[in-house]
């Protein structure tokens, strides 16, 4: 399951070995081509791959974002972020066609020399560490509930399998680490093909369960939530808000940026596309982002209309309070957990590649470097997942920093530096807007989030 957008980058690059020069072939693929290219991926499979790169754990935080921006406010922001994501990919494709470059890091090198390549590599490393942390956080919060559900146990005491941190350490050491330390992990790429179906199933269940939970919410199920303890049984809680502005609204755009980031996978997908042209790849992008937008909107809307202001920052936790033994919720939880578990090693690969690139450059493969980098990255990810109290913190911080850079700032800067277009051209003005928007949103959101932490609840 490609929950953070970057999981299949390395494996997809393996398909870029050579292409026939035809009138339908992009300059990106003719650059240095010397062999005959076999038939590439179809339009539909490329859309599928892109959606696997887009959709991920961000979908679990969007209902929370809607609760703190309002339905109309959320829709406006979601449309804006998705359109800007598609437009920034348009700029990347244009400069890739001009230069023949097929990796995000090399675009940074072309635009800003070595500092640019290091900066992009660092952003990808932090982004993927944040993504892996969010997935392990999901395992920490959901795995004990899943075990309890399937074991039909009423015990809420100190059983070892109810300790999410202990389970997370065991899972990391026994499953994630052995898979991550392999030099190649291409076989796990096939498991990500299930991601789209899991997300569709997740969305369908969210819609169906809207009518399984009464509103006002039962007081006894949420009485331990101090933030809403007084108003739990109020009918006003069942009135959807169209616009909401609060300090928690600052998490909305970063969460959306986190959810739509797929830019490091776009170029490899472009390279493996059958009859690759910029227009054809742009259509792949538009369809993939549109379908992802639809699933995001439906799941966020019905998740919000189920719990309203009481929705958790990780949506499945809300269902755990009210439908702990529900079969559909149990199967969704199991599907998400399985996908998350198999995706973490996939996302680890580009993170480790970026770390080795930053520290050792183009040094030949070394098992020592490979192993140490694997252990250090997984150690950092595990510590973050264990000690970060709320998944919205991961979405907020990573989304406002590296996601904003990779989604908005870098494509705009790279286009302005590499393209030979006049600064008054439409795309140059659009690139300037992307850079300014990304910087403003990133700095503002990050500042509000930090202020919120300092002030406390």
């Amino acid at each position: 399951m490609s929950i953070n957008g970057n999981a299949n980058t390395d494996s997809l690059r393996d398909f870029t070995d050579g292409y026939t020069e035809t009138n339908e072939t992009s300059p990106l693929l003719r650059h240095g081509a010397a062999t005959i290219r076999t038939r590439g991926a179809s339009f539909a499979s490329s859309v599928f791959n892109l959606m696997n790169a887009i959709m991920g754990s961000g979908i679990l935080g969007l209902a929370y974002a809607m609760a703190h921006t309002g339905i109309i406010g959320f829709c406006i922001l979601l449309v804006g972020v998705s359109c800007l994501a598609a437009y920034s990919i348009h700029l990347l494709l244009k400069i890739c066609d001009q230069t023949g470059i097929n990796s995000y890091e090399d675009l940074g090198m072309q635009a800003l020399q070595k500092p640019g390549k290091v900066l992009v590599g660092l952003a990808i490393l932090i982004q993927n560490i944040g993504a892996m942390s969010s997935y392990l956080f999901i395992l920490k919060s959901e795995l004990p509930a899943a075990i309890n559900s399937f074991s039909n146990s009423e015990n809420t005491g100190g059983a070892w399998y109810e300790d999410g941190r202990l389970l997370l350490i065991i899972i990391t050491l026994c499953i994630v680490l052995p898979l991550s330390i392999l030099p190649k992990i291409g076989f796990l790429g096939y498991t990500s093909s299930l991601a789209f179906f899991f997300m569709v199933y997740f969305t369908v269940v969210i819609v169906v369960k809207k009518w399984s939970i009464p509103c006002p919410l039962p007081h006894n199920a949420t009485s331990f939530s101090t933030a809403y303890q007084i108003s739990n049984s109020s009918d006003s809680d069942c009135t959807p808000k169209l616009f909401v502005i609060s300090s928690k609204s600052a998490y909305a755009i970063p969460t959306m940026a986190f959810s739509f980031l797929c830019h490091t996978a776009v170029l490899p997908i472009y390279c493996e596309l059958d009859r690759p042209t910029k227009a054809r790849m742009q259509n792949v992008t538009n369809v993939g982002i549109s379908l992802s937008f639809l699933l995001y909107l439906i799941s966020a809307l019905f998740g919000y209309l189920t719990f309203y202001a009481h929705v958790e920052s990780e949506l499945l936790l809300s269902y755990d309070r009210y439908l702990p033994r529900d079969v559909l919720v149990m199967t969704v939880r199991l599907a998400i957990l399985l996908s998350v578990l198999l995706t973490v090693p996939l996302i680890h690969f580009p993170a480790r590649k970026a770390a080795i690139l930053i520290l050792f450059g183009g040094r030949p493969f070394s098992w020592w470097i490979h192993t140490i980098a694997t252990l250090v990255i997984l150690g950092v990810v595990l510590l973050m997942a264990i000690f970060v109290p709320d998944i919205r913190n991961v979405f907020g911080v990573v989304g406002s920093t590296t996601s904003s850079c990779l989604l908005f700032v870098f494509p705009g800067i790279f286009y302005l530096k590499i393209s030979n277009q006049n600064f008054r051209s439409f795309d140059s003005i659009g690139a300037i807007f992307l850079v300014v928007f990304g910087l403003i949103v990133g700095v503002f959101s990050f500042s509000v989030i930090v202020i919120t932490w300092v002030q406390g609840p």
Side-chain angles (χ1 to χ4, degrees), residues 255 281 295 426:
T255 301
M281 185 61 205
L295 290 179
F426 177 83

Side-chain angles (χ1 to χ4, degrees), residues 74-97:
F74 177 89
C75 291
I76 292 173
L77 292 176
L78 194 68
V79 169
V81 171
S82 61
C83 289
L84 290 176
Y87 181 69
S88 63
I89 291 174
H90 159 75
L91 296 183
L92 285 179
L93 295 177
K94 284 193 69 173
I95 56 179
C96 285
D97 273 1

Side-chain angles (χ1 to χ4, degrees), residues 50-51 54-55 260 287-297:
L50 187 65
M51 290 188 67
I54 294 172
M55 301 198 70
F260 278 105
V287 173
I289 288 180
S290 298
L291 292 176
S292 300
F293 170 90
L294 185 62
L295 290 179
Y296 280 160
L297 179 60

Side-chain angles (χ1 to χ4, degrees), residues 22-205:
T22 68
N23 291 333
E24 293 184 343
T25 303
S26 162
L28 168 67
L29 305 178
R30 295 203 302 265
H31 182 76
T35 58
I36 302 254
R37 180 189 184 233
T38 58
R39 182 177 178 84
S42 66
F43 183 92
S45 65
S46 296
V47 170
F48 184 78
N49 285 336
L50 187 65
M51 290 188 67
N52 282 340
I54 294 172
M55 301 198 70
S57 61
I59 197 172
L60 298 176
L62 289 176
Y64 180 86
M66 179 177 284
H68 296 286
T69 54
I71 294 177
I72 295 179
F74 177 89
C75 291
I76 292 173
L77 292 176
L78 194 68
V79 169
V81 171
S82 61
C83 289
L84 290 176
Y87 181 69
S88 63
I89 291 174
H90 159 75
L91 296 183
L92 285 179
L93 295 177
K94 284 193 69 173
I95 56 179
C96 285
D97 273 1
Q98 292 178 19
T99 62
I101 292 173
N102 63 359
S103 80
Y104 212 143
E105 297 94 330
D106 289 338
L107 282 179
M109 181 73 175
Q110 179 76 11
L112 303 172
Q113 304 306 313
K114 187 175 180 179
K117 189 171 186 176
V118 172
L119 192 61
V120 172
L122 190 61
I124 292 174
L125 174 62
I126 296 174
Q127 169 72 28
N128 285 14
I129 286 177
M132 287 187 285
S133 299
S134 71
Y135 309 153
L136 292 186
F137 185 95
I138 293 171
L139 283 170
K140 180 185 74 173
S141 60
E142 294 293 336
L143 192 55
I147 293 176
N148 264 329
S149 297
F150 283 99
S151 65
N152 200 28
S153 172
E154 298 295 337
N155 177 33
T156 57
W160 67 270
Y161 56 81
E162 294 181 355
D163 187 343
R165 296 180 178 185
L166 177 60
L167 289 176
L168 187 59
I169 293 173
I170 295 173
I171 290 292
T172 301
L173 292 177
C174 296
I175 299 178
V176 176
L177 177 58
L179 292 176
S180 297
I181 209 166
L182 295 173
K184 291 187 177 181
I185 200 169
F187 73 93
L188 274 182
Y190 294 105
T191 63
S192 67
S193 62
L194 297 174
F196 175 72
F197 299 103
F198 285 150
M199 287 299 168
V200 172
Y201 180 55
F202 172 86
T203 304
V204 170
V205 171

Side-chain angles (χ1 to χ4, degrees), residues 215-284:
C215 193
L217 298 172
H219 180 79
N220 59 353
T222 57
S223 59
F224 57 89
S225 178
T226 58
Y228 303 107
Q229 192 170 23
I230 297 176
S231 61
N232 272 337
S233 59
S234 171
D235 288 333
S236 64
D237 281 359
C238 303
T239 303
K241 305 296 189 295
L242 300 183
F243 288 98
V244 177
I245 298 178
S246 70
S247 61
K248 295 179 181 178
S249 303
Y251 291 90
I253 292 183
T255 301
M256 294 176 190
F258 189 96
S259 301
F260 278 105
L261 184 63
C262 59
H263 293 49
T264 56
V266 165
L267 304 185
I269 291 173
Y270 186 11
C271 288
E272 75 164 13
L273 178 63
D274 186 42
R275 293 183 289 110
T277 62
K278 178 189 173 300
R280 186 169 167 82
M281 185 61 205
Q282 188 65 55
N283 288 335
V284 169

Side-chain angles (χ1 to χ4, degrees), residues 141-142 145 149 315-324 329 333:
S141 60
E142 294 293 336
S149 297
L315 182 58
L316 286 177
L317 291 178
S318 300
Y319 291 94
D320 189 43
R321 293 185 177 185
Y322 302 99
L323 301 172
V329 174
R333 177 178 283 116

